Amino acid sequence: MTQDNKRKDRSILITGGAGFIGSNFVHHWCNTYKSDRLTVLDALTYAGNKANLASLENNKNLKFVQGDICDRTLVDNLLESEDIDTVAHFAAESHVDRSIIEPGAFIQTNVVGTFTLLEAFRQRWNNRSQPQSDRFLHVSTDEVYGSLEVDDPAFTETTPYTPNSPYSASKAGSDHLARAYFHTYGMPTMITNCSNNYGPYHFPEKLIPLMCINILLGKPLPVYGDGQNIRDWLYVEDHCRALDVVINKGQPGETYNVGGNNEVKNIDLVEQLCQLMDELAPNLPVSPSKELITFVKDRAGHDRRYAINASKIKNELGWTPQETVEGGLRRTVQWYLANSDWWKPLLSQEYKNYYAKVYS
Ligand code: NAD
Ligand code: DAU
Protein backbone atom coordinates (compact mmCIF):
# COMPACT_ATOMS: atom_id res chain seq x y z
CA MET A 1 0.00 0.00 0.00
CA THR A 2 1.37 3.43 -0.93
CA GLN A 3 0.67 5.74 2.03
CA ASP A 4 2.64 8.95 2.30
CA ASN A 5 1.95 11.50 5.06
CA LYS A 6 2.76 14.43 2.78
CA ARG A 7 0.68 13.04 -0.07
CA LYS A 8 -1.70 15.56 -1.68
CA ASP A 9 -5.27 14.36 -2.25
CA ARG A 10 -5.99 13.54 -5.87
CA SER A 11 -9.08 13.97 -8.01
CA ILE A 12 -8.84 10.99 -10.30
CA LEU A 13 -10.74 10.13 -13.47
CA ILE A 14 -10.98 6.37 -13.92
CA THR A 15 -12.07 5.39 -17.42
CA GLY A 16 -13.50 1.87 -17.77
CA GLY A 17 -14.02 1.73 -13.99
CA ALA A 18 -17.03 -0.59 -14.33
CA GLY A 19 -14.98 -3.26 -16.14
CA PHE A 20 -12.91 -6.05 -14.63
CA ILE A 21 -9.60 -4.41 -13.70
CA GLY A 22 -11.03 -0.87 -13.55
CA SER A 23 -13.59 -1.84 -10.90
CA ASN A 24 -10.99 -3.72 -8.84
CA PHE A 25 -8.87 -0.57 -9.05
CA VAL A 26 -11.78 1.61 -7.87
CA HIS A 27 -12.22 -0.68 -4.84
CA HIS A 28 -8.48 -0.56 -4.15
CA TRP A 29 -8.32 3.23 -4.44
CA CYS A 30 -11.41 3.87 -2.28
CA ASN A 31 -10.00 1.59 0.45
CA THR A 32 -6.53 3.11 0.30
CA TYR A 33 -7.05 6.85 -0.25
CA LYS A 34 -10.21 7.71 1.62
CA SER A 35 -10.11 11.44 0.95
CA ASP A 36 -9.34 11.30 -2.79
CA ARG A 37 -12.20 12.03 -5.18
CA LEU A 38 -12.99 9.45 -7.87
CA THR A 39 -14.93 9.95 -11.09
CA VAL A 40 -15.66 6.80 -13.07
CA LEU A 41 -16.37 7.31 -16.78
CA ASP A 42 -17.67 4.13 -18.40
CA ALA A 43 -19.83 3.54 -21.48
CA LEU A 44 -21.26 0.32 -19.94
CA THR A 45 -20.63 -1.77 -23.03
CA TYR A 46 -21.36 -5.51 -22.76
CA ALA A 47 -18.21 -5.71 -20.54
CA GLY A 48 -19.12 -2.85 -18.19
CA ASN A 49 -21.25 -3.62 -15.17
CA LYS A 50 -22.40 -1.21 -12.47
CA ALA A 51 -22.87 -4.22 -10.16
CA ASN A 52 -19.05 -4.35 -9.91
CA LEU A 53 -19.25 -1.10 -7.91
CA ALA A 54 -22.47 -1.86 -6.01
CA SER A 55 -20.82 -2.02 -2.57
CA LEU A 56 -19.47 1.53 -3.11
CA GLU A 57 -22.85 3.02 -3.98
CA ASN A 58 -22.97 5.21 -0.86
CA ASN A 59 -19.39 6.40 -1.07
CA LYS A 60 -19.65 10.22 -1.21
CA ASN A 61 -16.23 10.52 -2.89
CA LEU A 62 -17.19 8.36 -5.85
CA LYS A 63 -19.14 9.63 -8.83
CA PHE A 64 -20.26 7.40 -11.72
CA VAL A 65 -20.83 8.85 -15.20
CA GLN A 66 -22.09 6.73 -18.06
CA GLY A 67 -20.45 7.96 -21.25
CA ASP A 68 -18.00 7.36 -24.06
CA ILE A 69 -14.32 8.30 -23.90
CA CYS A 70 -14.62 9.34 -27.57
CA ASP A 71 -17.04 12.13 -26.56
CA ARG A 72 -14.66 15.10 -26.33
CA THR A 73 -17.23 17.54 -24.95
CA LEU A 74 -18.15 15.16 -22.14
CA VAL A 75 -14.51 14.50 -21.30
CA ASP A 76 -13.67 18.25 -21.32
CA ASN A 77 -16.61 18.97 -19.02
CA LEU A 78 -15.65 16.21 -16.58
CA LEU A 79 -12.00 17.25 -16.38
CA GLU A 80 -13.15 20.78 -15.60
CA SER A 81 -16.13 20.17 -13.30
CA GLU A 82 -14.39 17.47 -11.23
CA ASP A 83 -11.10 19.38 -11.16
CA ILE A 84 -9.27 16.27 -12.36
CA ASP A 85 -5.51 16.09 -11.82
CA THR A 86 -5.01 12.36 -12.50
CA VAL A 87 -6.32 10.01 -15.17
CA ALA A 88 -6.19 6.21 -14.84
CA HIS A 89 -7.19 5.03 -18.29
CA PHE A 90 -8.57 1.47 -18.41
CA ALA A 91 -11.45 1.86 -20.89
CA ALA A 92 -10.92 -0.42 -23.87
CA GLU A 93 -12.29 -3.20 -25.96
CA SER A 94 -10.24 -5.95 -24.35
CA HIS A 95 -11.05 -9.39 -25.77
CA VAL A 96 -8.82 -10.84 -28.51
CA ASP A 97 -11.52 -13.18 -29.89
CA ARG A 98 -13.96 -10.28 -30.34
CA SER A 99 -11.23 -8.27 -32.10
CA ILE A 100 -10.88 -11.09 -34.63
CA ILE A 101 -14.62 -11.06 -35.38
CA GLU A 102 -15.25 -7.28 -35.31
CA PRO A 103 -12.10 -5.14 -35.13
CA GLY A 104 -13.78 -1.75 -35.78
CA ALA A 105 -14.79 -1.05 -32.17
CA PHE A 106 -11.19 -1.71 -31.07
CA ILE A 107 -9.84 1.03 -33.32
CA GLN A 108 -12.56 3.43 -32.22
CA THR A 109 -12.29 2.99 -28.44
CA ASN A 110 -8.66 1.97 -28.04
CA VAL A 111 -7.08 4.37 -30.53
CA VAL A 112 -9.56 7.23 -31.09
CA GLY A 113 -10.76 7.10 -27.46
CA THR A 114 -7.23 7.27 -26.06
CA PHE A 115 -6.40 10.12 -28.43
CA THR A 116 -9.52 11.99 -27.29
CA LEU A 117 -8.54 11.65 -23.63
CA LEU A 118 -4.93 12.69 -24.28
CA GLU A 119 -6.02 15.79 -26.18
CA ALA A 120 -8.56 16.80 -23.53
CA PHE A 121 -6.01 16.28 -20.74
CA ARG A 122 -3.36 18.23 -22.66
CA GLN A 123 -5.65 21.25 -22.98
CA ARG A 124 -6.55 21.16 -19.30
CA TRP A 125 -2.97 20.56 -18.16
CA ASN A 126 -1.80 23.56 -20.15
CA ASN A 127 -4.56 25.75 -18.70
CA ARG A 128 -3.61 24.63 -15.19
CA SER A 129 0.02 25.77 -15.71
CA GLN A 130 1.19 22.15 -15.85
CA PRO A 131 1.21 21.19 -12.14
CA GLN A 132 4.01 18.84 -11.02
CA SER A 133 1.82 16.12 -9.53
CA ASP A 134 -0.62 15.73 -12.47
CA ARG A 135 -0.50 12.25 -14.04
CA PHE A 136 -2.01 10.39 -17.00
CA LEU A 137 -1.65 6.63 -16.56
CA HIS A 138 -2.30 4.59 -19.69
CA VAL A 139 -3.05 0.97 -18.71
CA SER A 140 -1.81 -1.40 -21.40
CA THR A 141 -0.92 -5.00 -22.09
CA ASP A 142 2.04 -7.31 -22.67
CA GLU A 143 0.39 -8.40 -25.94
CA VAL A 144 1.89 -5.39 -27.73
CA TYR A 145 5.27 -7.18 -27.60
CA GLY A 146 4.01 -10.12 -29.70
CA SER A 147 4.65 -13.79 -29.09
CA LEU A 148 7.60 -15.60 -27.46
CA GLU A 149 9.02 -19.04 -28.15
CA VAL A 150 9.42 -21.31 -25.12
CA ASP A 151 13.12 -20.47 -24.59
CA ASP A 152 12.99 -16.72 -25.34
CA PRO A 153 13.75 -14.25 -22.54
CA ALA A 154 10.72 -12.48 -21.04
CA PHE A 155 9.50 -9.11 -22.40
CA THR A 156 11.30 -6.04 -21.06
CA GLU A 157 10.29 -2.39 -21.52
CA THR A 158 12.62 -2.18 -24.54
CA THR A 159 11.33 -5.26 -26.38
CA PRO A 160 10.24 -4.07 -29.87
CA TYR A 161 6.50 -3.88 -30.43
CA THR A 162 5.13 -6.74 -32.62
CA PRO A 163 1.37 -6.84 -32.02
CA ASN A 164 -0.33 -9.78 -33.72
CA SER A 165 -4.10 -9.29 -33.23
CA PRO A 166 -6.37 -6.33 -34.00
CA TYR A 167 -6.72 -5.96 -30.20
CA SER A 168 -2.98 -5.80 -29.51
CA ALA A 169 -2.38 -3.61 -32.59
CA SER A 170 -4.96 -1.10 -31.34
CA LYS A 171 -3.39 -1.11 -27.86
CA ALA A 172 0.04 -0.63 -29.44
CA GLY A 173 -1.29 2.40 -31.33
CA SER A 174 -2.63 3.90 -28.11
CA ASP A 175 0.66 3.22 -26.29
CA HIS A 176 2.55 5.08 -29.01
CA LEU A 177 0.22 8.06 -28.66
CA ALA A 178 0.64 8.16 -24.86
CA ARG A 179 4.42 7.98 -25.24
CA ALA A 180 4.44 10.69 -27.92
CA TYR A 181 2.48 13.09 -25.70
CA PHE A 182 5.31 12.98 -23.17
CA HIS A 183 8.03 13.25 -25.81
CA THR A 184 6.41 16.10 -27.75
CA TYR A 185 4.49 18.09 -25.13
CA GLY A 186 6.14 16.97 -21.88
CA MET A 187 2.72 15.81 -20.70
CA PRO A 188 3.12 13.49 -17.65
CA THR A 189 1.98 10.25 -19.28
CA MET A 190 3.09 6.84 -17.98
CA ILE A 191 2.39 3.44 -19.50
CA THR A 192 2.06 0.05 -17.82
CA ASN A 193 2.21 -3.18 -19.85
CA CYS A 194 0.73 -5.99 -17.81
CA SER A 195 0.31 -9.73 -18.25
CA ASN A 196 -2.95 -11.72 -17.91
CA ASN A 197 -5.04 -10.74 -14.88
CA TYR A 198 -7.57 -12.90 -13.05
CA GLY A 199 -9.81 -12.53 -9.99
CA PRO A 200 -13.26 -11.17 -9.04
CA TYR A 201 -15.53 -9.40 -11.60
CA HIS A 202 -13.80 -11.01 -14.61
CA PHE A 203 -16.28 -11.13 -17.51
CA PRO A 204 -17.32 -14.73 -18.47
CA GLU A 205 -15.78 -14.62 -21.99
CA LYS A 206 -12.17 -14.82 -20.69
CA LEU A 207 -10.41 -18.17 -20.06
CA ILE A 208 -10.58 -18.46 -16.25
CA PRO A 209 -14.17 -17.31 -15.64
CA LEU A 210 -15.35 -19.18 -18.74
CA MET A 211 -13.90 -22.44 -17.42
CA CYS A 212 -15.27 -21.87 -13.88
CA ILE A 213 -18.77 -21.16 -15.18
CA ASN A 214 -18.79 -24.00 -17.72
CA ILE A 215 -17.71 -26.48 -15.01
CA LEU A 216 -20.60 -25.31 -12.83
CA LEU A 217 -23.03 -25.66 -15.76
CA GLY A 218 -21.61 -29.01 -16.92
CA LYS A 219 -20.69 -27.56 -20.34
CA PRO A 220 -17.61 -28.48 -22.45
CA LEU A 221 -14.35 -26.71 -21.53
CA PRO A 222 -13.03 -25.46 -24.91
CA VAL A 223 -9.22 -25.45 -25.01
CA TYR A 224 -7.82 -23.83 -28.14
CA GLY A 225 -5.33 -25.76 -30.32
CA ASP A 226 -2.99 -28.06 -28.41
CA GLY A 227 -3.42 -26.25 -25.07
CA GLN A 228 0.34 -25.62 -24.85
CA ASN A 229 0.11 -21.80 -25.09
CA ILE A 230 1.60 -20.07 -22.06
CA ARG A 231 0.34 -17.02 -20.19
CA ASP A 232 1.89 -15.21 -17.19
CA TRP A 233 -0.94 -14.90 -14.64
CA LEU A 234 -1.27 -12.03 -12.16
CA TYR A 235 -3.93 -11.72 -9.46
CA VAL A 236 -5.85 -8.51 -10.18
CA GLU A 237 -5.24 -6.98 -6.71
CA ASP A 238 -1.50 -7.20 -7.35
CA HIS A 239 -2.01 -5.33 -10.63
CA CYS A 240 -3.98 -2.60 -8.81
CA ARG A 241 -1.15 -2.19 -6.26
CA ALA A 242 1.31 -1.87 -9.15
CA LEU A 243 -0.78 0.87 -10.78
CA ASP A 244 -0.98 2.63 -7.40
CA VAL A 245 2.83 2.79 -7.05
CA VAL A 246 3.20 3.93 -10.65
CA ILE A 247 0.73 6.81 -10.16
CA ASN A 248 2.25 7.87 -6.85
CA LYS A 249 5.94 7.15 -7.40
CA GLY A 250 6.49 6.54 -11.14
CA GLN A 251 8.41 8.85 -13.45
CA PRO A 252 6.50 10.71 -16.17
CA GLY A 253 7.45 9.43 -19.62
CA GLU A 254 8.33 5.97 -18.34
CA THR A 255 6.93 2.54 -19.17
CA TYR A 256 6.67 -0.19 -16.50
CA ASN A 257 6.13 -3.87 -17.21
CA VAL A 258 3.92 -5.64 -14.67
CA GLY A 259 3.75 -9.43 -14.39
CA GLY A 260 3.13 -12.27 -11.98
CA ASN A 261 6.16 -14.45 -12.70
CA ASN A 262 3.58 -17.22 -12.99
CA GLU A 263 3.91 -18.82 -16.42
CA VAL A 264 1.39 -21.62 -16.89
CA LYS A 265 0.36 -23.67 -19.94
CA ASN A 266 -3.36 -23.29 -20.71
CA ILE A 267 -4.08 -27.00 -20.36
CA ASP A 268 -2.37 -27.11 -16.94
CA LEU A 269 -4.33 -24.08 -15.79
CA VAL A 270 -7.65 -25.63 -16.89
CA GLU A 271 -6.77 -28.87 -15.09
CA GLN A 272 -5.96 -26.91 -11.90
CA LEU A 273 -9.35 -25.19 -12.13
CA CYS A 274 -11.05 -28.58 -12.55
CA GLN A 275 -9.31 -29.93 -9.45
CA LEU A 276 -10.26 -26.87 -7.40
CA MET A 277 -13.88 -27.07 -8.53
CA ASP A 278 -14.01 -30.82 -7.77
CA GLU A 279 -12.75 -30.02 -4.27
CA LEU A 280 -14.81 -26.89 -3.52
CA ALA A 281 -18.10 -27.14 -5.43
CA PRO A 282 -20.87 -29.39 -4.17
CA ASN A 283 -22.87 -31.52 -6.65
CA LEU A 284 -21.15 -30.69 -9.94
CA PRO A 285 -23.18 -31.83 -12.98
CA VAL A 286 -20.10 -33.69 -14.33
CA SER A 287 -17.48 -35.07 -11.96
CA PRO A 288 -14.54 -35.25 -12.20
CA SER A 289 -14.95 -32.04 -14.18
CA LYS A 290 -11.79 -32.77 -16.16
CA GLU A 291 -13.99 -35.01 -18.34
CA LEU A 292 -15.43 -31.81 -19.83
CA ILE A 293 -12.11 -30.72 -21.38
CA THR A 294 -12.51 -30.49 -25.16
CA PHE A 295 -9.79 -29.42 -27.60
CA VAL A 296 -11.26 -27.05 -30.20
CA LYS A 297 -10.08 -25.16 -33.30
CA ASP A 298 -7.23 -22.78 -32.49
CA ARG A 299 -7.65 -19.00 -32.22
CA ALA A 300 -6.50 -17.29 -35.46
CA GLY A 301 -2.97 -15.89 -35.02
CA HIS A 302 -2.83 -17.31 -31.48
CA ASP A 303 0.24 -15.99 -29.62
CA ARG A 304 2.24 -18.90 -28.21
CA ARG A 305 3.72 -17.46 -25.06
CA TYR A 306 3.76 -14.26 -23.01
CA ALA A 307 6.18 -13.64 -20.14
CA ILE A 308 6.99 -10.41 -18.35
CA ASN A 309 10.28 -9.29 -16.87
CA ALA A 310 9.09 -7.02 -14.05
CA SER A 311 12.55 -6.09 -12.70
CA LYS A 312 12.16 -2.38 -13.45
CA ILE A 313 9.03 -1.80 -11.36
CA LYS A 314 10.51 -3.98 -8.60
CA ASN A 315 13.91 -2.23 -8.50
CA GLU A 316 12.73 1.35 -9.08
CA LEU A 317 9.34 1.43 -7.32
CA GLY A 318 9.55 -1.53 -4.91
CA TRP A 319 6.53 -3.46 -6.26
CA THR A 320 6.35 -7.24 -6.26
CA PRO A 321 3.28 -9.50 -6.58
CA GLN A 322 2.00 -10.90 -3.30
CA GLU A 323 -0.40 -13.63 -4.43
CA THR A 324 0.72 -17.06 -5.70
CA VAL A 325 -1.08 -18.64 -8.64
CA GLU A 326 -2.31 -21.50 -6.38
CA GLY A 327 -3.70 -19.06 -3.80
CA GLY A 328 -5.14 -16.70 -6.39
CA LEU A 329 -6.90 -19.46 -8.33
CA ARG A 330 -8.42 -20.85 -5.12
CA ARG A 331 -9.72 -17.37 -4.17
CA THR A 332 -11.08 -16.90 -7.69
CA VAL A 333 -12.90 -20.24 -7.77
CA GLN A 334 -14.38 -19.46 -4.33
CA TRP A 335 -15.50 -16.05 -5.61
CA TYR A 336 -17.32 -17.53 -8.64
CA LEU A 337 -18.94 -20.15 -6.39
CA ALA A 338 -20.19 -17.46 -3.99
CA ASN A 339 -21.31 -15.00 -6.69
CA SER A 340 -23.58 -16.80 -9.15
CA ASP A 341 -25.96 -13.82 -8.74
CA TRP A 342 -23.25 -11.71 -10.35
CA TRP A 343 -22.37 -13.95 -13.31
CA LYS A 344 -25.70 -15.59 -14.22
CA PRO A 345 -27.26 -12.36 -15.62
CA LEU A 346 -24.17 -11.89 -17.81
CA LEU A 347 -24.99 -15.01 -19.84
CA SER A 348 -27.38 -12.91 -21.93
CA GLN A 349 -28.66 -13.53 -25.45
CA GLU A 350 -25.89 -11.24 -26.78
CA TYR A 351 -23.36 -13.38 -24.91
CA LYS A 352 -24.90 -16.61 -26.24
CA ASN A 353 -24.73 -15.25 -29.82
CA TYR A 354 -21.09 -14.31 -29.34
CA TYR A 355 -20.36 -17.75 -27.82
CA ALA A 356 -21.98 -19.53 -30.76
CA LYS A 357 -19.87 -17.49 -33.23
CA VAL A 358 -16.56 -18.34 -31.53
CA TYR A 359 -17.18 -21.94 -30.47
CA SER A 360 -19.53 -23.40 -33.08
P1 NAD B 1 -12.96 -5.02 -19.60
O1 NAD B 1 -13.34 -5.37 -20.99
O2 NAD B 1 -13.38 -5.91 -18.49
O3 NAD B 1 -13.50 -3.56 -19.25
C1 NAD B 1 -13.45 -2.50 -20.15
C2 NAD B 1 -14.34 -1.39 -19.62
O4 NAD B 1 -14.23 -0.28 -20.51
C3 NAD B 1 -15.83 -1.78 -19.55
O5 NAD B 1 -16.38 -1.36 -18.32
C4 NAD B 1 -16.46 -1.03 -20.71
O6 NAD B 1 -17.82 -0.67 -20.50
C5 NAD B 1 -15.56 0.21 -20.79
N1 NAD B 1 -15.54 0.82 -22.12
C6 NAD B 1 -15.38 0.20 -23.31
N2 NAD B 1 -15.45 1.09 -24.31
C7 NAD B 1 -15.63 2.30 -23.75
C8 NAD B 1 -15.76 3.62 -24.25
N3 NAD B 1 -15.72 3.86 -25.57
N4 NAD B 1 -15.93 4.63 -23.38
C9 NAD B 1 -16.00 4.39 -22.05
N5 NAD B 1 -15.90 3.17 -21.51
C10 NAD B 1 -15.72 2.13 -22.35
O7 NAD B 1 -11.38 -4.84 -19.64
P2 NAD B 1 -10.28 -5.20 -18.53
O8 NAD B 1 -9.91 -6.63 -18.68
O9 NAD B 1 -10.73 -4.68 -17.23
O10 NAD B 1 -9.06 -4.33 -19.06
C11 NAD B 1 -8.91 -2.97 -18.67
C12 NAD B 1 -7.66 -2.41 -19.33
O11 NAD B 1 -6.52 -3.17 -18.94
C13 NAD B 1 -7.72 -2.47 -20.85
O12 NAD B 1 -7.15 -1.29 -21.36
C14 NAD B 1 -6.86 -3.68 -21.21
O13 NAD B 1 -6.26 -3.50 -22.46
C15 NAD B 1 -5.85 -3.65 -20.09
N6 NAD B 1 -5.26 -4.95 -19.70
C16 NAD B 1 -6.08 -6.01 -19.43
C17 NAD B 1 -5.50 -7.22 -18.99
C18 NAD B 1 -6.35 -8.41 -18.64
O14 NAD B 1 -5.80 -9.49 -18.39
N7 NAD B 1 -7.67 -8.30 -18.56
C19 NAD B 1 -4.11 -7.32 -18.86
C20 NAD B 1 -3.32 -6.21 -19.19
C21 NAD B 1 -3.91 -5.02 -19.58
O1 DAU C 1 -1.82 -10.64 -21.74
C1 DAU C 1 -2.73 -9.66 -21.35
C2 DAU C 1 -4.04 -9.87 -22.06
O2 DAU C 1 -4.65 -11.01 -21.44
C3 DAU C 1 -4.98 -8.68 -22.01
O3 DAU C 1 -4.39 -7.61 -22.70
C4 DAU C 1 -6.33 -9.02 -22.63
O4 DAU C 1 -7.22 -7.93 -22.47
C5 DAU C 1 -6.89 -10.22 -21.90
O5 DAU C 1 -8.11 -10.61 -22.49
C6 DAU C 1 -5.89 -11.38 -21.96
O6 DAU C 1 -5.75 -11.87 -23.31
P1 DAU C 1 -5.65 -13.44 -23.65
O7 DAU C 1 -6.05 -13.64 -25.05
O8 DAU C 1 -4.34 -13.98 -23.21
O9 DAU C 1 -6.77 -13.98 -22.59
P2 DAU C 1 -7.94 -15.05 -22.75
O10 DAU C 1 -8.52 -15.24 -21.39
O11 DAU C 1 -8.87 -14.73 -23.86
O12 DAU C 1 -7.16 -16.37 -23.15
C7 DAU C 1 -6.10 -16.89 -22.35
C8 DAU C 1 -5.52 -18.09 -23.09
O13 DAU C 1 -6.50 -19.13 -23.11
C9 DAU C 1 -5.17 -17.83 -24.53
O14 DAU C 1 -4.00 -18.57 -24.87
C10 DAU C 1 -6.36 -18.35 -25.31
C11 DAU C 1 -6.83 -19.52 -24.45
N1 DAU C 1 -8.28 -19.80 -24.47
C12 DAU C 1 -9.14 -18.76 -24.23
C13 DAU C 1 -10.50 -18.95 -24.25
C14 DAU C 1 -11.45 -17.81 -24.01
C15 DAU C 1 -8.76 -21.08 -24.67
O15 DAU C 1 -7.96 -22.04 -24.84
N2 DAU C 1 -10.11 -21.28 -24.68
C16 DAU C 1 -11.00 -20.28 -24.49
O16 DAU C 1 -12.23 -20.54 -24.55
Side-chain angles (χ1 to χ4, degrees):
M1 195 181 294
T2 311
Q3 281 290 27
D4 175 353
N5 291 340
K6 285 179 286 191
R7 183 181 176 278
K8 177 179 153 297
D9 289 345
R10 289 184 184 274
S11 178
I12 178 164
L13 176 69
I14 299 167
T15 71
F20 163 47
I21 305 174
S23 62
N24 277 281
F25 180 82
V26 172
H27 285 279
H28 167 87
W29 207 269
C30 286
N31 289 334
T32 310
Y33 303 109
K34 300 208 188 296
S35 50
D36 279 8
R37 284 189 297 125
L38 285 78
T39 305
V40 170
L41 173 60
D42 197 298
L44 296 181
T45 66
Y46 79 92
N49 188 351
K50 273 189 90 173
N52 299 3
L53 302 173
S55 62
L56 296 168
E57 219 168 56
N58 296 324
N59 186 318
K60 299 268 182 301
N61 284 341
L62 174 64
K63 175 173 179 164
F64 180 86
V65 178
Q66 182 173 357
D68 192 327
I69 56 166
C70 301
D71 181 343
R72 175 67 193 269
T73 309
L74 172 64
V75 174
D76 280 344
N77 288 342
L78 280 179
L79 293 181
E80 190 66 31
S81 64
E82 302 305 321
D83 200 20
I84 299 295
D85 51 46
T86 306
V87 173
H89 174 34
F90 296 87
E93 290 293 335
S94 70
H95 191 37
V96 174
D97 291 321
R98 289 194 192 245
S99 84
I100 295 167
I101 302 170
E102 280 178 47
F106 288 71
I107 305 306
Q108 183 63 20
T109 287
N110 301 359
V111 182
V112 178
T114 302
F115 169 69
T116 307
L117 288 170
L118 286 165
E119 270 297 275
F121 192 81
R122 179 165 81 90
Q123 180 179 312
R124 172 160 170 81
W125 180 68
N126 278 332
N127 291 345
R128 274 162 46 81
S129 315
Q130 312 182 352
Q132 289 293 309
S133 58
D134 281 16
R135 293 289 181 270
F136 186 112
L137 172 65
H138 175 62
V139 180
S140 192
T141 170
D142 59 359
E143 299 201 13
V144 297
Y145 298 123
S147 182
L148 295 169
E149 295 302 328
V150 172
D151 296 330
D152 287 342
F155 301 130
T156 69
E157 289 78 2
T158 55
T159 301
Y161 274 32
T162 322
N164 288 320
S165 70
Y167 162 67
S168 54
S170 67
K171 290 296 291 187
S174 63
D175 290 12
H176 290 320
L177 283 168
R179 184 187 162 280
Y181 271 63
F182 173 78
H183 188 82
T184 302
Y185 305 114
M187 206 171 95
T189 59
M190 300 181 295
I191 302 169
T192 50
N193 293 96
C194 187
S195 63
N196 287 63
N197 282 219
Y198 67 104
Y201 306 120
H202 207 177
F203 191 80
E205 68 194 352
K206 306 283 170 65
L207 180 73
I208 289 180
L210 185 142
M211 295 297 164
C212 290
I213 291 169
N214 282 14
I215 293 170
L216 291 171
L217 299 177
K219 289 177 61 180
L221 308 179
V223 175
Y224 295 159
D226 61 6
Q228 299 296 306
N229 303 68
I230 294 172
R231 296 293 182 265
D232 177 0
W233 293 95
L234 179 70
Y235 194 64
V236 64
E237 280 175 13
D238 278 327
H239 187 192
C240 294
R241 288 191 308 102
L243 300 176
D244 178 335
V245 295
V246 171
I247 288 173
N248 284 303
K249 302 204 296 191
Q251 284 300 314
E254 291 294 320
T255 289
Y256 299 92
N257 278 359
V258 182
N261 219 2
N262 276 319
E263 286 186 56
V264 189
K265 284 183 188 154
N266 289 345
I267 186 64
D268 295 342
L269 185 87
V270 174
E271 287 185 356
Q272 279 187 59
L273 289 171
C274 290
Q275 275 172 19
L276 281 165
M277 278 290 182
D278 290 348
E279 177 196 329
L280 297 169
N283 309 321
L284 285 176
V286 176
S287 178
S289 53
K290 191 177 161 161
E291 286 173 10
L292 293 167
I293 293 176
T294 312
F295 289 91
V296 299
K297 185 167 169 264
D298 208 354
R299 172 186 278 175
H302 196 175
D303 286 338
R304 196 63 172 167
R305 171 179 167 237
Y306 304 140
I308 279 280
N309 178 335
S311 307
K312 179 175 172 180
I313 188 169
K314 178 181 176 204
N315 296 336
E316 295 185 11
L317 306 182
W319 174 87
T320 47
Q322 289 178 356
E323 187 54 276
T324 60
V325 81
E326 293 78 20
L329 287 179
R330 181 171 286 270
R331 286 169 76 181
T332 304
V333 165
Q334 284 166 332
W335 192 87
Y336 279 88
L337 281 171
N339 289 281
S340 58
D341 288 355
W342 179 84
W343 57 260
K344 278 191 178 153
L346 301 178
L347 310 181
S348 61
Q349 193 54 49
E350 189 280 336
Y351 183 71
K352 287 179 183 139
N353 295 343
Y354 156 78
Y355 199 94
K357 262 191 216 160
V358 175
Y359 298 99
S360 59

